[in-house]
Amino acid sequence: MKNPTSQNSLLFPSVSIKSLSHYFGKGTNKRRILDSISMKIYPGEVVILTGPSGCGKTTLLTLIGALRKVQSGDLNVLGTELQGSRRRERQKLRCQIGMIFQGHNLLAFLTSEQNVQMGSDLLNGYSYSERRAQARQCLRDVGLEDELNKLPHDLSGGQKQRVAIARALAARPQLLLADEPTAALDSSTGREVVNLLKKLSKEKACAVLMVTHDPRILDVADRVLKMEDGRINPAI
């Protein structure tokens, strides 16, 4: 794997984390999920995070995605400090982040095209027809050009995941967070998807943080990090 330190030394990191800890529960039930994590992710960099289930990977993604409040430590995402941030600041930040989670969270009453256009609707300065064209292009990019008008209940699990990926890409994010993006995909489609994410990161200077248990896609990463017991081990 490449060492990005020198090539990114002049870039401002998309994600900067210092001594980040997080807890669930209270009193005697309080349990530490993240243990003083420090790391940086730079524009155009693909970082893959591996580790056993329950070690804190998804919790870290949701904190970076401004879906949880920071309890302890410093977390700066795309220039926004999330420690002590206001709700409005987090909402604004989320518009710049593409998120792909295992439960694709598609709206059941919208077609594939309409679900994806929810992403492109976040773009400022574009007409309705341009946002619609963007949604259709993203669906073509993930191989679903023939499924534009289908509702989620008419799609397979893998197709739903690809719609969710297309929706995240449609917003042209500066940071993409992906939790097991290939989990519901066959090996061929999974490879196409991660190659698409890699292409996005390089062409658009988009930082990508991807959680996966899939060893077949580790080669796309600039760095592979391993998490265990709420801590991140040195890069592989």
Side-chain angles (χ1 to χ4, degrees):
M1 300 298 172
K2 303 172 186 175
N3 186 338
T5 302
S6 59
Q7 68 187 63
N8 288 323
S9 59
L10 299 179
L11 294 177
F12 189 83
S14 299
V15 178
S16 180
I17 304 173
K18 185 176 180 181
S19 302
L20 182 69
S21 296
H22 198 78
Y23 302 83
F24 287 160
K26 296 180 180 180
T28 57
N29 294 322
K30 188 175 182 179
R31 184 165 61 99
R32 182 160 55 189
I33 304 300
L34 300 180
D35 186 1
S36 195
I37 286 176
S38 296
M39 63 181 289
K40 292 181 180 180
I41 305 173
Y42 290 88
E45 185 180 19
V46 177
V47 176
I48 285 183
L49 185 61
T50 67
S53 297
C55 70
K57 302 186 301 296
T58 298
T59 299
L60 178 59
L61 251 63
T62 56
L63 282 164
I64 295 173
L67 298 174
R68 300 179 188 273
K69 289 185 178 181
V70 174
Q71 297 174 347
S72 174
D74 297 318
L75 173 57
N76 189 293
V77 178
L78 300 177
T80 297
E81 179 55 56
L82 292 179
Q83 174 64 275
S85 63
R86 297 180 179 180
R87 182 178 181 182
R88 186 180 184 87
E89 290 177 300
R90 295 193 297 273
Q91 289 174 333
K92 184 178 180 181
L93 175 62
R94 285 197 292 269
C95 293
Q96 303 174 67
I97 302 174
M99 301 184 192
I100 305 167
F101 293 110
Q102 292 183 58
H104 18 74
N105 299 323
L106 303 180
L107 293 181
F109 55 88
L110 296 182
T111 65
S112 298
E113 180 183 344
Q114 290 168 334
N115 266 289
V116 174
Q117 191 167 334
M118 291 180 65
S120 58
D121 282 345
L122 296 174
L123 298 172
N124 294 319
Y126 289 83
S127 67
Y128 172 81
S129 61
E130 288 172 328
R131 298 195 306 272
R132 185 178 185 185
Q134 171 77 357
R136 290 183 171 184
Q137 181 59 51
C138 288
L139 283 166
R140 283 193 290 271
D141 288 341
V142 296
L144 292 179
E145 61 271 21
D146 296 327
E147 318 296 338
L148 296 176
N149 297 315
K150 286 189 177 181
L151 294 170
H153 65 73
D154 294 321
L155 300 172
S156 68
Q159 288 174 327
K160 291 177 185 177
Q161 182 72 332
R162 281 188 277 170
V163 172
I165 291 168
R167 180 179 59 191
L169 298 180
R172 298 179 182 175
Q174 296 180 48
L175 171 65
L176 185 66
L177 305 175
D179 191 358
E180 299 286 359
T182 64
L185 306 178
D186 60 53
S187 59
S188 176
T189 304
R191 169 57 61 173
E192 290 175 3
V193 164
V194 296
N195 285 340
L196 182 63
L197 300 185
K198 178 83 169 183
K199 181 181 178 182
L200 169 75
S201 73
K202 301 310 176 188
E203 292 183 354
K204 306 298 183 182
C206 175
V208 176
L209 177 60
M210 190 185 319
V211 166
T212 187
H213 288 102
D214 189 348
R216 299 169 299 181
I217 66 172
L218 298 183
D219 61 297
V220 306
D222 296 298
R223 282 187 291 155
V224 177
L225 305 177
K226 184 174 181 181
M227 178 176 278
E228 191 168 359
D229 297 329
R231 296 181 178 180
I232 292 181
N233 294 330
I236 297 174

